[in-house]
Amino acid sequence: METNAPKRRDNKKSLRVKVISLGNAEVGKSCIIKRYCEKRFVPKYLATIGIDYGVTKVQVRDREIKVNIFDMAGHPFFYEVRNEFYKDSQGVLLVYDVGLRESFDALDSWLAEMKQEMGSQANMDSIVFVVCANKVDLTKRRVVDEGEGRLWAESRGFHYFETSAQSGEGINEMFQAFFSSITDMCENGGKRPVSEVSVGFTKEQADTIRRIRNSKDSWDMLGVKPGATREEVNKAYRKLAVLLHPDKCVAPGSEDAFKAVVNARTSLLKNIK
Ligand code: GTP
Ligand code: MG
């Protein structure tokens, strides 16, 4: 029944936000957005040409959020079109394909491109980042595991979600967390809330674990030159052990990294006189 009573005015004002998607070509950026906005999946690859734009409305608590989505093309060819659209974003979806290591390794260069285009006034702390480890439905071809992806994301204060645009896994949860964090940030005067940034381990610990995982041999793992002395090996070992000891380091993968460092030291010392 309609009444003439005035509409409630205690609802907070609606928010208008801008989000962008970044990541290598073909990792699934457009499909993730399509899965959320249109509840469907398109198996055929239709490369985004330059940029796609869409608008959606979402409700976060008592606020209506109007989201402008700029879906970027990942292909390097479209750099000139993309670079115009980085500025004034409140949220970034950083997407990689869990079956393609180069798409994961490329996340750093996507951040670098963004920083460069945003110029000197860039304040990355006023932007909510969500990392999507996409195509988790293709389990057999997976090469980047959850620990590695989560470590990269959380050590930077970014959210991490495992997603599949194909099955829908993780998509709604990811967008809910994304929009809710953007709303929190706007209500917090444009700063990412501290609880999200503080993850209980340092970037140095996270970067070291990543370096250890990717090291090519025991020398490389300890960060010493081949042919280093016992003293040099022990010194490097002690530094890493303090940084990564499981009692002190809660970063995902620290226990494995610590064990790998212990094994590397043992095997090197066996062969050094
Ligand atoms: P560009 O626009 O070129 O930057 O690519 P994009 O990142 O937008 O990729 P897009 O969403 O167009 O998807 C690329 C291909 O991957 C398409 O063939 C999709 O069907 C497929 N794809 C996307 N997400 C998934 C997924 O979660 N699982 C599987 N199996 N395939 C996916
Ligand atoms: Mg696309």
Side-chain angles (χ1 to χ4, degrees):
M1 189 183 81
E2 284 212 37
T3 72
N4 289 329
K7 284 198 177 135
R8 277 166 61 101
R9 284 183 163 268
D10 55 352
N11 270 3
K12 289 185 190 157
K13 255 174 76 183
S14 73
L15 270 179
R16 189 181 284 270
V17 302
K18 172 182 171 185
V19 304
I20 58 176
S21 65
L22 298 182
N24 280 7
E26 227 172 318
V27 294
K29 300 178 293 298
S30 304
C31 285
I32 287 173
I33 294 165
K34 199 165 263 151
R35 165 60 77 184
Y36 179 72
C37 295
E38 299 173 24
K39 314 274 176 261
R40 66 194 179 100
F41 174 71
V42 184
K44 189 165 176 265
Y45 175 41
L46 297 163
T48 302
I49 308 297
I51 199 133
D52 272 344
Y53 169 70
V55 190
T56 188
K57 271 188 201 164
V58 293
Q59 190 76 24
V60 176
R61 300 183 291 273
D62 58 348
R63 269 195 124 137
E64 185 186 77
I65 320 288
K66 283 187 189 138
V67 189
N68 294 285
I69 305 177
F70 292 81
D71 175 26
M72 308 265 207
H75 198 283
F77 178 77
F78 294 112
Y79 167 70
E80 293 294 340
V81 185
R82 259 191 333 254
N83 63 6
E84 302 282 326
F85 291 91
Y86 281 109
K87 288 198 177 103
D88 305 319
S89 307
Q90 281 82 37
V92 176
L93 288 180
L94 267 176
V95 185
Y96 69 93
D97 174 346
V98 295
L100 289 173
R101 176 158 292 278
E102 62 268 29
S103 72
F104 174 64
D105 292 339
L107 295 181
D108 282 313
S109 45
W110 282 104
L111 281 183
E113 181 177 303
M114 178 170 180
K115 271 189 201 160
Q116 183 188 314
E117 294 313 318
M118 285 174 51
S120 52
Q121 85 280 28
N123 183 1
M124 304 295 258
D125 290 339
S126 306
I127 300 169
V128 172
F129 288 87
V130 173
V131 175
C132 299
N134 194 41
K135 305 199 188 182
V136 292
D137 56 288
L138 300 172
T139 47
K140 281 198 184 132
R141 62 186 274 282
R142 184 163 189 163
V143 292
V144 185
D145 68 20
E146 179 176 352
E148 198 171 354
R150 191 177 282 286
L151 182 65
W152 188 91
E154 293 184 351
S155 62
R156 286 164 176 77
F158 301 170
H159 293 274
Y160 171 86
F161 282 88
E162 304 241 303
T163 59
S164 166
Q166 194 245 34
S167 70
E169 180 183 338
I171 301 286
N172 283 342
E173 295 87 329
M174 181 274 288
F175 275 106
Q176 269 162 22
F178 188 40
F179 296 140
S180 161
S181 278
I182 292 175
T183 310
D184 289 346
M185 186 185 71
C186 294
E187 290 176 353
N188 192 35
K191 285 206 188 90
R192 239 191 283 160
V194 176
S195 60
E196 279 176 28
V197 183
S198 145
V199 289
F201 55 88
T202 64
K203 185 165 180 301
E204 186 188 9
Q205 287 172 323
D207 288 346
T208 305
I209 292 169
R210 185 153 186 237
R211 190 187 63 70
I212 287 169
R213 281 170 181 261
N214 295 331
S215 55
K216 55 181 191 297
D217 56 29
S218 299
W219 302 107
D220 191 29
M221 186 175 289
L222 289 185
V224 293
K225 288 199 184 102
T229 62
R230 292 181 82 84
E231 210 170 51
E232 285 166 334
V233 167
N234 278 327
K235 194 172 161 204
Y237 164 76
R238 274 195 298 275
K239 198 171 160 216
L240 288 170
V242 169
L243 192 68
L244 300 177
H245 195 283
D247 286 352
K248 301 225 177 66
C249 181
V250 297
S254 59
E255 208 171 318
D256 286 346
F258 181 75
K259 281 184 200 151
V261 166
V262 171
N263 290 339
R265 172 189 179 241
T266 311
S267 79
L268 288 180
L269 290 185
K270 258 189 214 155
N271 298 313
I272 301 176
K273 298 249 159 61

